[in-house]
């Protein structure tokens, strides 16, 4: 399967714990995006990488959130000291040049 | 601003046409998209249209764009039960840029 993959698909954690999600983009897609989707809403942009460079971060990305793409391939999104308001679906998308974004299946986070 | 608005629900009978409407506010939007999301799944790109086009047709899907009114619609011909899903309208100022989504329209197809 050569689609965007995300791991884990589901995560349940207690408030205050740290969590890390991984996204593997489609091979050779140099652009990678993270979005957050809460129940009943559309996805909201979090951050964007071109290769390993993080080019934009949304104001939604508080200092508890950090994203990396160290080798320009897979990316990780870490949330420190999770809060109940962080419960959402975290979506990753990738795209090559001159094309549209392809989304992964998402990681659903529940903070208790 | 980058507000995208959609009606929340649509119920349609199997075999009829569905029309989902969307309005956006950012006049610099150059790409407009329709995505489909089934329960528990990620987003599937259905189609997109560049702002210099008025219409795009792809099999059962027809996209109409009224740039003056900033209105986008998606028509699904011969709607099937497998078309039941949430449909998101999204816009971007370039194909390289982040997407701004509406809240989604839940389409229910009844027999």
């Amino acid at each position: 399967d050569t689609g965007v993959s995300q791991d884990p698909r589901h995560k349940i954690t207690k408030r205050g714990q740290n969590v890390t999600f991984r996204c593997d983009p489609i091979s050779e897609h140099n652009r990678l995006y993270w979005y957050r989707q809460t129940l009943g809403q559309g996805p909201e942009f979090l951050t964007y990488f071109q290769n390993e460079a993080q080019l934009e971060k949304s104001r939604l990305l508080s200092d508890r959130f950090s994203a990396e793409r160290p080798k320009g391939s897979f990316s990780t999104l870490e949330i420190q000291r999770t809060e109940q308001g962080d419960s959402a679906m975290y979506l990753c998308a990738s795209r090559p040049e001159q094309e549209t974004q392809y989304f992964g299946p998402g990681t659903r986070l529940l903070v208790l | 601003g980058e507000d995208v608005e959609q009606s929340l629900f649509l119920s349609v009978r199997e075999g009829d046409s569905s029309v989902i409407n969307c309005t956006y506010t950012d006049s610099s939007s150059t790409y407009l998209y329709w995505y489909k999301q089934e329960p528990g799944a990620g987003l599937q790109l259905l189609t997109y249209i560049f702002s210099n086009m008025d219409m795009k047709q792809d099999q059962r899907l027809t996209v109409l764009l009224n740039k003056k009114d900033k209105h986008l619609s998606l028509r699904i011909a011969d709607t099937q039960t497998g078309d039941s899903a949430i449909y998101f309208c999204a816009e971007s100022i370039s194909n390289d840029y982040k997407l701004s989504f509406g809240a989604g329209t839940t389409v229910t197809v009844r027999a």
Side-chain angles (χ1 to χ4, degrees):
Chain A
D1 182 19
T2 57
V4 178
S5 62
Q6 293 187 244
D7 183 71
R9 294 291 308 277
H10 304 273
K11 177 71 176 179
I12 300 174
T13 191
K14 292 182 179 178
R15 190 175 51 188
Q17 298 294 304
N18 299 342
V19 294
T20 300
F21 309 142
R22 176 178 170 127
C23 170
D24 285 89
I26 295 172
S27 180
E28 297 177 356
H29 281 193
N30 59 357
R31 288 158 172 81
L32 186 148
Y33 304 77
W34 285 98
Y35 293 82
R36 180 174 71 185
Q37 184 180 19
T38 53
L39 202 61
Q41 299 297 317
E44 295 174 292
F45 170 76
L46 291 178
T47 190
Y48 153 52
F49 291 85
Q50 181 169 324
N51 299 312
E52 64 274 10
Q54 189 173 18
L55 297 187
E56 186 177 352
K57 292 194 292 186
S58 163
R59 57 181 165 74
L60 294 175
L61 215 66
S62 74
D63 56 5
R64 296 185 298 106
F65 287 71
S66 61
E68 294 183 343
R69 196 183 183 197
K71 298 180 181 177
S73 57
F74 73 91
S75 175
T76 58
L77 177 69
E78 181 183 15
I79 309 174
Q80 296 182 327
R81 305 181 304 280
T82 52
E83 301 173 357
Q84 288 184 324
D86 297 331
S87 295
M89 173 86 91
Y90 290 83
L91 293 162
C92 176
S94 71
R95 59 173 291 271
E97 292 198 39
Q98 304 302 322
E99 278 208 33
T100 56
Q101 297 179 30
Y102 294 86
F103 281 81
T107 295
R108 185 172 294 281
L109 172 66
L110 177 61
V111 181
L112 301 177
Chain B
E2 299 173 343
D3 290 334
V4 178
E5 294 190 356
Q6 305 177 235
S7 52
L8 293 182
F9 301 100
L10 176 68
S11 178
V12 62
R13 193 166 50 191
E14 189 175 11
D16 287 352
S17 293
S18 308
V19 179
I20 308 168
N21 295 301
C22 168
T23 57
Y24 60 98
T25 57
D26 193 337
S27 58
S28 59
S29 297
T30 53
Y31 287 86
L32 295 130
Y33 305 83
W34 284 104
Y35 282 87
K36 176 183 180 183
Q37 187 175 40
E38 297 185 65
L43 278 78
Q44 173 194 354
L45 176 68
L46 291 178
T47 187
Y48 68 96
I49 190 168
F50 189 56
S51 60
N52 66 355
M53 301 168 64
D54 297 325
M55 186 182 85
K56 181 177 181 181
Q57 188 158 0
D58 183 3
Q59 300 182 336
R60 292 191 298 123
L61 305 179
T62 303
V63 179
L64 295 177
L65 174 61
N66 181 329
K67 194 175 180 184
K68 173 177 171 288
D69 294 337
K70 299 189 186 68
H71 182 266
L72 182 75
S73 68
L74 174 69
R75 179 177 178 269
I76 306 173
D78 187 25
T79 311
Q80 303 298 307
T81 54
D83 295 324
S84 292
I86 303 175
Y87 291 80
F88 290 96
C89 170
E91 55 94 13
S92 174
I93 63 171
S94 81
N95 207 13
D96 194 27
Y97 201 57
K98 63 187 178 186
L99 299 175
S100 294
F101 287 86
T105 300
T106 300
V107 173
T108 302
V109 181
R110 60 187 192 278

